[in-house]
Amino acid sequence: MAASILSKIEELAKSRNVPCKAVLVGSAARNTWLSGDHDMDIFIAMPEDQDLGLALEIARLVAPHHEEKYAEHAYVHATLDCFEIDLVPCYQVKDASRIKSAVDRTPFHNEYITARVRGLEDEVLLLKQFMKGIGVYGSELRVGGFSGYLVELLVISFGSFPGVLRSAENWRPNEVIFAPESSQIWRDLFHEDPLVVIDPVDPKRNVAAALTLDRMFQFVAAARCFLKQPSLDFFFPAAFLPLSDEEVLGHMERRKSALIVIELPVPHLSEDILFPQLRKAEHSIAALFELHGFDVLRSDALLSGGSGFREDDDRASGFLEAGPGSCQSAGSGDEGIARLLFELEVWELSSVKRHPGPPVWEAEHVERFLSRHIETISGPYIQGGRAVVEISRRYTEPRGLLEREMVKLALGKHIRQQVEKGYRIYLGQEILQIRDLEFRSFLARYFLQHNHLKQLQ
Amino acid sequence: MAASILSKIEELAKSRNVPCKAVLVGSAARNTWLSGDHDMDIFIAMPEDQDLGLALEIARLVAPHHEEKYAEHAYVHATLDCFEIDLVPCYQVKDASRIKSAVDRTPFHNEYITARVRGLEDEVLLLKQFMKGIGVYGSELRVGGFSGYLVELLVISFGSFPGVLRSAENWRPNEVIFAPESSQIWRDLFHEDPLVVIDPVDPKRNVAAALTLDRMFQFVAAARCFLKQPSLDFFFPAAFLPLSDEEVLGHMERRKSALIVIELPVPHLSEDILFPQLRKAEHSIAALFELHGFDVLRSDALLSGGSGFREDDDRASGFLEAGPGSCQSAGSGDEGIARLLFELEVWELSSVKRHPGPPVWEAEHVERFLSRHIETISGPYIQGGRAVVEISRRYTEPRGLLEREMVKLALGKHIRQQVEKGYRIYLGQEILQIRDLEFRSFLARYFLQHNHLKQLQ
């Protein structure tokens, strides 16, 4: 498959006198390709003094039914024989420190790994599937996990799959791995990153920059559990089956909390654009609840339907893909549905709330504070040396709060547009009206929400 | 009145050959006596080498119907012609640094003030009545306000009633007044006291040690308000009238909070013993609520009936005493009633609660944490790098919590005994069953709970 595309590119280049080279990169090039994956990356590398547009033109001809995407430069995405193929123009630079854009670095990664991974391919595959099983594989924003390249570097660094796990057992935040010199330099340079893995082809870069603290320690916890009690479940966890109405009610009865779903249609856009906006909306709304006195127990977000995100949702839900035999369409281009789930501790708050002001000895602040709070239910009085008033709460229940305040929030651009057009709020048992199976699986995962820490109990 | 008691003491001393001297001390001795007061302190001073028991014997004979009380030493308390009289044996020491017990210091205070207060008596009376009106007069534990001696020192220090107010406007926590040397020494010595007023007869002592931060700044705030807009209301505030059922319901409707009263009988003991225990119980129970997830908006305590505390309750409630004409019995010796009022934000909490554990990188702590939480509703999962479980809340409503947990708390000794014998809980509208007028006035004060800060609005 890859070979035929590569030769087609070279044929086209020859006939049009374009001095480019086609390279298969990524896991497909290095035999570290998970059997569930259908991605193939082919880079079309041009000399530095040439126009990338010529390479893009060739890419378009290779796959007549394609869609053009855009990262730092335009590239072509196509589905050929069940494979998702990216055809990416890039520059052939002399060394990785002179790259013109991030994609130019990829051939260097390919070269570095290819030269060192031989004999370790199975270890890489084990680690990838392990990470996939526990939900930490993938560097896209929604997952915030480990990239394929990072996995390969870890295996090369620690020699084997169990070698990586044994190392991970003792990781701490801001762990530095693969540092060519003293760790402290890199720790200072990347002091906000939970894991620092210096890119061997470009030492100014942290390969693990996209990894979040929680994904990192989900891996650490799973490593500990697996070493203590190995099991195939880590690689192939049981799926979360969609909950029936009775099961949902059972969970609600056991939790006696205030469950709220906000549902809105979202436009046909790639998950890497939509999901960060959805998370931003989730965090803004959670902060809104807290600001108004509603303690948020937990929240989560789900993107369903539409194109671009199905594959990754499955991964996050703990589902594994159906395998290379079943080829699904990546999406119809329809709108998708975004759902935000919030769990509050209570449905209703007191009308009165305490509002502490400045210390009494700051006379001017006190005067200003008091002049802003003429209408009080109780007070002003003095407590802990501060002026305190008790005033009316603006919202005592969540629906009113959402209906009036949500539109004022910093939501992502596309989420905001939808919220302005219309959305729907489900409170408590109204959530049963959502009959979508993907959502019911998401609820199952939400309610249990355990990972392999369970096995340390 | 005082003169006749003094001569009676000297007569008795002479006839029994006891070498004591009777001294009228306190405000009665210095014409700084508020018209509502009925207290008179007479000290029976013995030479240092004599037995205080002889002086006590004389005190007993002066007032045949008396009760014996005990501070550092025994003394006699009696009601004579509507006056509350304390007859206190003490030692005549050479100077105040050589005192044997706190009461021996009083004659020195008396001497110091008497020599300096002449011409300032009206200023002292104004300041005392002002403080009484705003609820900060009295150094007993329950009030935590300004003692009579402290008021006199302030007036002597700042020259007049308005002089004290103008100074107070700028007071800050740990303010030092009347320091014979550099303030810093005293600030270091009394660094935890909100106000430091060095005792001129004993510089190791802070006269304002009993003053709380809140009473101090209640005075500061009132001083500012009074100087801005003087009014007789500061001296003679309107009483809080007992609320009718409709008024109580109106306040409840406006607040929509969870109001709870715990009622228990208390033994016949002095307020200075009982009230601190009651406050301790109040704080322990408030902490219990918070520990179990119930946010406490505010709480308060009231001692009613019985002997010993009626006078001070009136003072705190903003009531002024009826004046010297009406003489009430100080109490029948019956049991009194203590009531603790708690206002929570909600009546009911979710069954599920988040319980965060240690960071995942502390492997041993995590194992211990997980082994303590086998039964979870959700989790364990990782959030913010920590292991988190969601577990069942033990109490989702306040009655069960109080009934099971209150007896285990650190309550004062006498409160604890009563709680073990039996108490009563009133929730929400059940509070209307309490028809006691003093309690209804207390509720009025609780619901409004404003002080003169109001006038700065």
Side-chain angles (χ1 to χ4, degrees), chain A residues 214 224 255-256 297-298 345 350-352 354 360 373 378-379 381 384-385 390 393 447-449 457, chain B residues 214 224 255-256 297-298 345 350-352 354 360 373 378-379 381 384-385 390 393 447-449 457:
Chain A
D214 286 351
R224 266 189 224 141
R255 305 176 76 83
K256 281 215 180 67
L297 195 71
R298 194 142 52 91
E345 296 220 339
S350 62
S351 286
V352 62
R354 259 181 105 254
V360 177
H373 297 288
S378 297
Y381 55 87
E390 290 173 11
R393 220 183 265 289
F447 285 136
L448 292 171
Q449 189 66 22
Q457 282 182 328
Chain B
D214 285 353
R224 268 189 222 139
R255 305 177 76 84
K256 279 214 181 70
L297 194 71
R298 193 141 53 89
E345 297 220 340
S350 61
S351 286
V352 63
R354 258 181 105 253
V360 177
H373 297 288
S378 297
Y381 55 88
E390 290 173 12
R393 218 182 266 289
F447 285 136
L448 292 172
Q449 189 67 23
Q457 282 182 326

Side-chain angles (χ1 to χ4, degrees), chain A residues 139-316:
Chain A
S139 61
E140 54 273 36
L141 290 166
R142 193 178 57 68
V143 179
F146 294 77
S147 68
Y149 178 53
L150 177 53
V151 168
E152 290 167 323
L153 285 180
L154 289 174
V155 168
I156 289 167
S157 178
F158 298 105
S160 68
F161 165 63
V164 176
L165 298 195
R166 277 195 297 270
S167 163
E169 276 202 294
N170 302 309
W171 286 354
R172 299 181 65 86
N174 204 225
E175 190 75 30
V176 175
I177 289 170
F178 227 70
E181 289 149 51
S182 145
S183 292
Q184 195 53 51
I185 302 171
W186 310 106
R187 205 163 274 144
D188 293 344
L189 189 59
F190 301 109
H191 64 274
E192 290 191 338
D193 290 351
L195 180 66
V196 181
V197 178
I198 305 304
D199 192 342
V201 310
D202 183 358
K204 293 183 302 297
R205 184 172 170 266
N206 176 15
V207 181
L211 181 68
T212 65
L213 181 74
D214 286 351
R215 288 293 176 263
M216 172 175 172
F217 282 98
Q218 225 166 303
F219 176 63
V220 168
R224 266 189 224 141
C225 298
F226 181 83
L227 291 173
K228 206 174 160 194
Q229 198 176 342
S231 146
L232 265 183
D233 291 344
F234 289 86
F235 301 91
F236 305 103
F240 287 100
L241 297 177
L243 298 180
S244 68
D245 285 2
E246 289 64 38
E247 287 170 317
V248 174
L249 289 172
H251 283 290
M252 285 180 172
E253 179 56 27
R254 196 148 52 247
R255 305 176 76 83
K256 281 215 180 67
S257 56
L259 283 162
I260 298 165
V261 171
I262 302 170
E263 178 184 272
L264 64 168
V266 284
H268 172 208
L269 283 168
S270 91
E271 188 218 48
D272 257 4
I273 293 176
L274 273 182
F275 207 86
Q277 295 187 13
L278 200 59
R279 276 278 184 245
K280 187 177 181 184
E282 180 192 338
H283 294 149
S284 296
I285 293 169
L288 177 73
F289 279 129
E290 296 277 355
L291 181 71
H292 287 269
F294 291 94
D295 287 338
V296 178
L297 195 71
R298 194 142 52 91
S299 63
D300 206 350
L302 176 70
L303 267 176
S304 307
S307 80
F309 38 74
R310 176 170 299 280
E311 159 200 18
D312 286 307
D313 264 328
D314 285 346
R315 193 181 294 166

Side-chain angles (χ1 to χ4, degrees), chain B residues 242-272:
Chain B
L243 298 179
S244 67
D245 286 3
E246 290 64 38
E247 287 170 318
V248 174
L249 290 173
H251 283 290
M252 286 180 170
E253 179 56 27
R254 196 147 51 247
R255 305 177 76 84
K256 279 214 181 70
S257 56
L259 282 162
I260 297 165
V261 172
I262 302 170
E263 178 183 273
L264 64 166
V266 285
H268 172 208
L269 283 167
S270 91
E271 188 220 48
D272 257 5

Side-chain angles (χ1 to χ4, degrees), chain A residues 169-173 213-214 217-221 224 228 251 253-258 293 295-298 343-346 348-354 360-364 366-367 370-371 373-390 392-393 396 446-454 456-457, chain B residues 169-173 213-214 217-221 224 228 251 253-258 293 295-298 343-346 348-354 360-364 366-367 370-371 373-390 392-393 396 446-454 456-457:
Chain A
E169 276 202 294
N170 302 309
W171 286 354
R172 299 181 65 86
L213 181 74
D214 286 351
F217 282 98
Q218 225 166 303
F219 176 63
V220 168
R224 266 189 224 141
K228 206 174 160 194
H251 283 290
E253 179 56 27
R254 196 148 52 247
R255 305 176 76 83
K256 281 215 180 67
S257 56
D295 287 338
V296 178
L297 195 71
R298 194 142 52 91
E343 186 171 21
L344 311 182
E345 296 220 339
V346 295
E348 200 180 1
L349 294 174
S350 62
S351 286
V352 62
K353 73 166 182 179
R354 259 181 105 254
V360 177
W361 49 94
E362 295 179 1
E364 280 175 38
V366 170
E367 278 201 50
L370 296 177
S371 65
H373 297 288
I374 305 292
E375 293 293 321
T376 66
I377 295 184
S378 297
Y381 55 87
I382 293 163
Q383 203 174 52
R386 289 174 177 274
V388 178
V389 292
E390 290 173 11
S392 255
R393 220 183 265 289
T396 61
Y446 178 88
F447 285 136
L448 292 171
Q449 189 66 22
H450 66 71
N451 52 38
H452 295 281
L453 279 173
K454 196 90 188 166
L456 287 177
Q457 282 182 328
Chain B
E169 276 201 293
N170 302 310
W171 287 354
R172 300 180 66 85
L213 183 74
D214 285 353
F217 283 97
Q218 227 165 301
F219 176 63
V220 168
R224 268 189 222 139
K228 207 175 162 193
H251 283 290
E253 179 56 27
R254 196 147 51 247
R255 305 177 76 84
K256 279 214 181 70
S257 56
D295 287 338
V296 178
L297 194 71
R298 193 141 53 89
E343 186 172 20
L344 311 182
E345 297 220 340
V346 295
E348 202 179 1
L349 293 174
S350 61
S351 286
V352 63
K353 73 166 182 180
R354 258 181 105 253
V360 177
W361 50 95
E362 295 178 1
E364 280 176 38
V366 170
E367 278 202 50
L370 295 177
S371 65
H373 297 288
I374 306 293
E375 293 293 323
T376 66
I377 295 184
S378 297
Y381 55 88
I382 292 162
Q383 202 174 55
R386 290 174 176 276
V388 177
V389 292
E390 290 173 12
S392 257
R393 218 182 266 289
T396 61
Y446 178 88
F447 285 136
L448 292 172
Q449 189 67 23
H450 67 71
N451 52 39
H452 294 281
L453 279 173
K454 196 90 186 166
L456 286 177
Q457 282 182 326

Side-chain angles (χ1 to χ4, degrees), chain A residues 59-121:
Chain A
R60 287 178 184 137
L61 295 168
V62 171
H65 299 289
H66 65 260
E67 110 190 82
E68 287 200 25
K69 292 195 170 184
Y70 201 90
E72 280 179 79
H73 297 289
Y75 65 97
V76 159
H77 176 83
T79 308
L80 290 174
D81 292 345
C82 269
F83 286 88
E84 300 289 318
I85 298 176
D86 284 334
L87 297 167
V88 183
C90 75
Y91 287 110
Q92 286 171 279
V93 293
K94 289 261 153 38
D95 71 80
S97 65
R98 292 174 54 202
I99 56 165
K100 297 191 174 187
S101 82
V103 292
D104 303 342
R105 204 186 278 116
T106 305
F108 291 94
H109 289 166
N110 201 43
E111 203 176 295
Y112 183 91
I113 298 294
T114 308
R116 288 160 181 83
V117 82
R118 196 145 313 151
L120 295 174
E121 290 91 342

